Amino acid sequence: MTDQTTDITVLQDGFDPLGPTVRQAQVSSGRTVNYIDDGAEGEHTLLFFGGAGTTVRAFRLLEFARSLRRQLQIRVVSVERNGLGQTPFDPAVGFGEHASDVWSLLDQLEIERVSVVAISGGGPYAAHLAAANGDRIRSMHLACAGSENLDVARIGLSATAIASDPTAWWRFPDTSSVYRVPGFADSVIEEATRGVFARGRDTPPEGLAQAFELYRDVGMPDLRTVRSPSFLYWGSEDQLVPLAHMHRWQQALPNVTCTRLYDGEGHDVQYRHWDQILADVAFLGERIVVCNDGRAVLAVPDRAQA
């Protein structure tokens, strides 16, 4: 029983985050960008590109491993894409213009080198960003990320269809491990609706429609200047972004250090193995996540094999 005559020290000395804070900045193009920046100066900067149709706050869906990210001293920066979330649609902004705006913001933040992490539909955006400044890329991490000619219409989805039922884009199989993350299923509903309706219920899905056209029509840029280590993460049964995209990245990137192919897994590799992606960002492949008797450790590869 609590002693009613003794004060209780409150351990909480600040607010716990409810997801990343969205900030704004005007970049060299004159455009205003919405972005997040969570971490400390001097930490490894993870530049994040979320999947198709996601907003800048989509990164919070990966913050179930925030404690690990903070332990590894990883700072995350992400810039919202054209016509999604709170960012107005500009028909003149494609892959190249977005890349220029991101680099301009990084200059403002005095961030010189970044580890680029892209999932799913974030892949083509990451490719154009890396092609523009290959010498500033510390490492590339591509998780079931589209390369080029990613035509989502082949699976019966369109911008109009997603706008009429935003959560359809987020339906994982019942066997997916994402359902083991407390609150994940509810959070994706919030992200899905934010992506389409953040600027009003009647806002047309122009940003998503443009993105689908770019995915289908714009080829892979020349990535030969990106000589930093590259890591690929794929599920062998991924039907949305099949293995052909993984092979295309292998052809395009000069230094694919590691390909982590997960047998029998689908298009949720980025969630199942987010801890390994974070470890690769921090250690560039020199540590492997190993779980033993309910305890996770970051082991050196030789010990991980034992």
Side-chain angles (χ1 to χ4, degrees):
M1 181 178 294
T2 304
D3 183 349
Q4 300 300 317
T5 64
T6 304
D7 292 336
I8 299 173
T9 300
V10 176
L11 299 180
Q12 181 148 355
D13 58 4
F15 295 115
D16 291 328
L18 298 180
T21 300
V22 180
R23 312 169 192 268
Q24 286 192 333
Q26 187 175 63
V27 293
S28 58
S29 66
R31 289 183 285 268
T32 297
V33 298
N34 295 305
Y35 73 99
I36 62 171
D37 179 8
D38 192 298
E41 186 177 342
E43 294 183 330
H44 299 306
T45 299
L46 183 165
L47 181 65
F48 180 72
F49 290 88
T54 56
T55 76
V56 74
R57 274 178 58 85
F59 186 78
R60 72 186 176 122
L61 298 175
L62 294 161
E63 287 284 73
F64 55 79
R66 180 181 175 84
S67 296
L68 175 60
R69 178 172 72 83
R70 300 305 304 132
Q71 178 185 355
L72 297 178
Q73 298 184 324
I74 295 174
R75 173 184 183 180
V76 60
V77 174
S78 187
V79 180
E80 194 161 74
R81 297 192 291 263
N82 183 36
L84 300 176
Q86 294 172 289
T87 302
F89 176 67
D90 182 344
V93 177
F95 291 143
E97 290 77 16
H98 182 73
S100 296
D101 286 350
V102 174
W103 282 120
S104 178
L105 176 68
L106 292 171
D107 289 340
Q108 289 187 35
L109 298 176
E110 298 183 340
I111 296 172
E112 178 60 26
R113 303 188 76 217
V114 293
S115 288
V116 176
V117 176
I119 65 176
S120 194
Y125 291 90
H128 284 79
L129 175 121
N133 270 306
D135 59 335
R136 293 179 63 178
I137 304 298
R138 177 177 173 267
S139 56
M140 294 284 289
H141 306 263
L142 303 160
C144 51
S147 56
E148 59 187 355
N149 304 124
L150 180 64
D151 189 358
V152 295
R154 68 180 172 80
I155 57 173
L157 282 175
S158 66
T160 302
I162 292 174
S164 65
D165 184 8
T167 59
W169 194 233
W170 290 94
R171 287 176 186 150
F172 293 96
D174 293 340
T175 56
S176 175
S177 60
V178 300
Y179 297 112
R180 299 174 61 186
V181 179
F184 185 92
D186 294 313
S187 295
V188 298
I189 294 173
E190 296 166 9
E191 171 57 30
T193 53
R194 179 183 175 85
V196 181
F197 301 126
R199 289 176 290 120
R201 184 191 63 181
D202 298 324
T203 302
E206 296 169 306
L208 191 57
Q210 184 211 45
F212 285 179
E213 292 173 0
L214 293 172
Y215 291 147
R216 185 190 64 217
D217 299 337
V218 180
M220 177 80 81
D222 187 346
L223 294 174
R224 285 177 292 181
T225 62
V226 185
R227 301 194 175 277
S228 54
S230 297
F231 299 78
L232 308 180
Y233 313 83
W234 239 271
S236 66
E237 304 307 310
D238 192 333
Q239 300 301 309
L240 183 61
V241 185
L243 291 177
H245 290 273
M246 183 187 78
H247 299 320
R248 182 70 183 98
W249 287 112
Q250 290 172 328
Q251 294 170 355
L253 289 164
N255 185 15
V256 176
T257 301
C258 182
T259 298
R260 303 192 188 281
L261 182 60
Y262 299 98
D263 188 44
E265 296 188 18
H267 196 66
D268 58 358
V269 160
Q270 68 271 30
Y271 301 109
R272 288 177 181 262
H273 304 285
W274 181 240
D275 50 0
Q276 183 61 63
I277 296 173
L278 290 174
D280 287 339
V281 169
F283 299 108
L284 300 183
E286 295 180 357
R287 294 279 172 168
I288 308 295
V289 177
V290 177
C291 295
N292 187 23
D293 294 330
R295 179 171 172 263
V297 298
L298 298 175
V300 296
D302 288 347
R303 288 180 60 80
Q305 303 285 339

